[in-house]
Amino acid sequence: MTNEATDLLGNALSADERELVDIYTRLKALSGRDDLPPVATANAKQAMVLMWNACNDLALICEEPGCD
Amino acid sequence: MPVTDSPFWNPKTETLPREQLQALQLVKLQHLVRRAWDTSPFHRRLYEKASVTPDQIKTFDDIHRLPFMTREDWMECQAQKPLFGDMITRPESEAIRYHLTSGTSGRQPLRVLDGRKDWSWIADMWCYGFWGFGIRPTDKVFFAFSYGSFIGFWGAHYACEKMGTLTLASGNMSTEQRVKQIVEMGVTVVCATPTYALRMGQTAEKMGIDLKKDGKVRRIIVSGEPAGSIPAVKQMIEDMWGGKCGDTAGMTEIGTIMIFECDHQPGGPHIIEDHFIEEVLDPDSGEPMAYGERGERVVTSFGRGFMPLIRYKTKDLVCKVPYTTCDCGRTGDIYEGGILGRVDDMKLVRGTNVYPRAVEAVVREHSEIEEFQIILSRRDDVQDEITVKVELKPDQADQWTRLEGQLQKDLAEAHEGLRFNVELAAQDELPRFELKAKRLQDLRPQY
Ligand SMILES: [Zn+2]
């Protein structure tokens, strides 16, 4: 995870950008849990990769989300 | 501003000043090389052989320290360790998609895997292109595509779902059924290979349908063949359909598109430079070519996590010109005239890659065959045909009935189901060669 205070270009994150990264981070945490029912895990993963795209395309993060 | 008024899918990075764009590419490159080094034995081997380590990538120009990756290396790695080689960075069980493309030699295809994130990214790249060519959530987008093992428009389909268009799949339809549905549903965007866009237009004429009057198509997005950037072909498509025709290009090795024409159509597609580094190099020396000079495309892709693609020699011939050639506001450079051709002998037939040596490998499995020729032609001005003419050994004539079907089946199997015509030549009809054999004739008109 990169420093959440700035994007990959070193610019401070806007409030909207912070919210996007925050949602992504929370979804990633949910995706990694193994104690949730399949319906929760699978849909969290789908949602997480969509948020990864938003954050990655906006140069807010640079990482592989690391879930199947 | 309502979201649909944005001319860009991603205004932030599509309009970045060049020096910032390059800074972004460097950060992504450093991460990618590090990850490849850590997780892909294939890449670790390649880099150790070239005595380069991830921490040596300090500036953008350090990309030149990295060795090239070729399709031959990739195929070799898959042959050594079937099915996917040792370049995959994650366990196979974590993939959600499998696609393939015909190989450079023999029957082995090039196999690719994508994870859940990769697949979503693949769709996202198409979003850049579709949005940039003016497609919006209110559009009705029709895919004239077979939805098979070839990756083709798969990502574009998901891109349209993501963007919120009405998305129409037509995998099982005949050309007539497709034309009918396009008119009946008031489809506004059609996606096809340029050849097939023309074929549908011709079919509509035969059916007594004037697509310009009876249809509502305002955009035709083509992919899969260099013809999509040839002005004469575009003009033919636009005259038939009454909409604007825009080109895109991608490859199975990337899984998606790396270039697309924006709505301004400055004479070539923009490179999606926040997701790819596209170098244009002298195919022999590997030296960079200047703007305006033709060279080989070498691509680095930041998106596909399962299979890192770093400095991959594509053998596509291109000519890069600066982004300032277009006034749309994007800062991604442009490939003038799209993909101009190949630096090797690969041919594209109805969107499928055909390597003469792969055809030869299949033909040579049949010992009854003495000589052969591959003939590429164009039927009715639009339909590409591939014919393999074979001459049997003198005592093998009675094998033809059996061989004809078998050869057709084998060739199709080695080429993602592409239909080959197989013809019998008379004794001594085909030319014989002593030195460099010329067993391929491309009779298709060159524009
Ligand atoms: Zn433009």
Side-chain angles (χ1 to χ4, degrees):
Chain A
M1 193 74 207
T2 53
N3 181 352
E4 285 181 22
T6 62
D7 65 11
L8 299 179
L9 296 157
N11 306 311
L13 298 191
S14 67
D16 292 338
E17 288 176 337
R18 275 202 307 275
E19 191 169 349
L20 288 167
V21 174
D22 181 47
I23 292 171
Y24 163 70
T25 309
R26 287 161 58 195
L27 284 168
K28 195 170 74 158
L30 273 179
S31 304
R33 283 176 52 179
D34 57 8
D35 58 337
L36 297 175
V39 61
T41 308
N43 282 299
K45 284 177 180 175
Q46 283 297 90
M48 183 272 286
V49 297
L50 292 171
M51 288 312 293
W52 177 91
N53 272 301
C55 295
N56 178 68
D57 291 9
L58 290 167
L60 310 180
I61 57 167
C62 187
E63 63 172 22
E64 284 291 307
C67 86
D68 64 14
Chain B
M1 176 168 83
V3 69
T4 48
D5 286 353
S6 166
F8 310 107
W9 175 247
N10 182 7
K12 181 174 174 181
T13 55
E14 286 187 88
T15 59
L16 266 186
R18 290 292 300 178
E19 64 280 4
Q20 288 187 46
L21 188 54
Q22 210 170 72
L24 178 62
Q25 288 177 322
L26 175 60
V27 174
K28 291 190 173 193
L29 180 68
Q30 288 168 328
H31 275 83
L32 176 63
V33 172
R34 167 62 63 192
R35 196 167 56 78
W37 172 272
D38 288 341
T39 56
S40 155
F42 171 91
H43 285 87
R44 172 72 75 107
R45 220 167 32 242
L46 206 62
Y47 296 162
E48 281 179 345
K49 200 171 154 202
S51 302
V52 58
T53 55
D55 49 16
Q56 288 176 315
I57 309 301
K58 292 191 170 76
T59 69
F60 187 78
D61 282 342
D62 287 332
I63 192 171
H64 298 121
R65 290 170 175 261
L66 297 168
F68 296 121
M69 178 181 160
T70 66
R71 189 166 170 143
E72 287 75 19
D73 296 339
W74 190 340
M75 303 250 349
E76 171 67 18
C77 137
Q78 295 196 342
Q80 293 292 326
K81 200 165 180 277
L83 293 168
F84 300 99
D86 59 359
M87 72 184 298
I88 56 173
T89 60
R90 319 258 306 263
E92 268 176 56
S93 58
E94 291 187 5
I96 64 151
R97 298 290 300 212
Y98 167 58
H99 288 278
L100 52 85
T101 185
S102 36
T104 41
S105 57
R107 285 161 175 265
Q108 280 305 314
L110 188 82
R111 306 169 194 278
V112 293
L113 289 177
D114 286 299
R116 197 189 290 263
K117 180 232 78 190
D118 299 348
W119 194 246
S120 182
W121 170 81
I122 280 169
D124 221 66
M125 294 306 99
W126 281 100
C127 288
Y128 275 73
F130 273 54
W131 194 275
F133 195 54
I135 314 310
R136 294 294 178 270
T138 45
D139 274 306
K140 297 178 181 176
V141 186
F142 185 93
F143 286 94
F145 171 57
S146 63
Y147 291 86
S149 58
F150 178 51
I151 205 157
F153 280 113
W154 269 111
H157 177 105
Y158 288 94
C160 285
E161 289 186 357
K162 192 187 284 205
M163 287 166 54
T165 72
L166 182 66
T167 309
L168 293 86
S170 71
N172 60 342
M173 290 184 194
S174 67
T175 306
E176 286 79 7
Q177 286 169 324
R178 283 173 169 153
V179 168
K180 208 168 150 240
Q181 190 173 91
I182 286 166
V183 173
E184 193 176 87
M185 285 297 293
V187 162
T188 56
V189 181
V190 169
C191 304
T193 61
T195 301
Y196 195 70
L198 289 170
R199 170 126 175 254
M200 282 191 287
Q202 280 190 337
T203 304
E205 268 171 38
K206 281 183 196 151
M207 292 164 74
I209 292 172
D210 181 349
L211 287 170
K212 279 193 278 195
K213 275 207 228 116
D214 306 332
K216 292 196 172 139
V217 175
R218 59 180 199 89
R219 291 285 189 278
I220 305 101
I221 295 185
V222 295
S223 203
E225 293 168 338
S229 271
I230 297 170
V233 175
K234 265 195 172 134
Q235 192 60 54
M236 280 166 78
I237 293 173
E238 292 180 353
D239 289 347
M240 276 177 167
W241 287 89
K244 211 153 80 159
C245 176
D247 193 22
T248 61
M251 58 202 305
T252 302
E253 294 95 316
I254 290 177
T256 185
I257 52 166
M258 64 283 157
I259 54 174
F260 68 88
E261 270 194 287
C262 72
D263 213 23
H264 291 231
Q265 299 196 287
H270 285 280
I271 301 166
I272 310 176
E273 292 201 69
D274 53 330
H275 292 270
F276 302 97
I277 296 174
E278 288 270 334
E279 300 172 80
V280 182
L281 306 178
D282 181 306
D284 299 318
S285 70
E287 289 301 310
M289 307 300 283
Y291 277 136
E293 288 179 352
R294 287 179 175 213
E296 180 182 1
R297 263 187 71 221
V298 174
V299 61
T300 297
S301 161
F302 300 126
R304 192 179 243 164
F306 240 92
M307 299 182 145
L309 202 71
I310 305 171
R311 298 203 92 200
Y312 180 68
K313 292 190 82 164
T314 66
K315 302 199 173 158
D316 282 337
L317 196 63
V318 287
C319 175
K320 197 192 272 186
V321 295
Y323 70 94
T324 45
T325 312
C326 186
D327 56 10
C328 72
R330 284 178 184 79
T331 51
D333 282 339
I334 290 164
Y335 279 144
E336 193 173 61
I339 306 293
L340 302 171
R342 298 282 299 174
V343 300
D344 68 357
D345 57 357
M346 189 192 89
K347 298 285 177 183
L348 264 166
V349 181
R350 302 197 292 269
T352 301
N353 300 346
V354 176
Y355 290 90
R357 57 193 183 278
V359 172
E360 174 153 16
V362 173
V363 169
R364 294 301 186 203
E365 285 174 11
H366 301 280
S367 57
E368 304 89 341
I369 297 172
E370 174 140 326
E371 190 50 78
F372 74 99
Q373 280 272 307
I374 306 164
I375 298 148
L376 301 176
S377 57
R378 187 159 294 154
R379 189 154 53 90
D380 304 331
D381 285 336
V382 298
Q383 170 85 348
D384 281 356
E385 292 289 336
I386 181 161
T387 303
V388 176
K389 247 182 151 172
V390 302
E391 198 179 306
L392 298 181
K393 288 177 180 159
D395 57 344
Q396 299 289 332
D398 56 339
Q399 297 296 318
W400 176 243
T401 323
R402 181 191 56 80
L403 195 60
E404 185 183 13
Q406 188 61 45
L407 195 55
Q408 227 162 13
K409 185 166 159 277
D410 292 348
L411 286 165
E413 271 175 12
H415 293 87
E416 301 147 45
L418 180 70
R419 178 180 48 78
F420 280 70
N421 306 309
V422 174
E423 285 177 13
L424 180 66
Q427 281 300 310
D428 298 322
E429 180 188 331
L430 300 182
R432 303 302 203 261
F433 304 94
E434 281 181 16
L435 292 168
K436 219 171 152 41
K438 278 182 75 176
R439 293 200 175 88
L440 185 135
Q441 296 181 60
D442 195 344
L443 307 176
R444 296 176 294 184
Q446 306 298 316
Y447 295 95

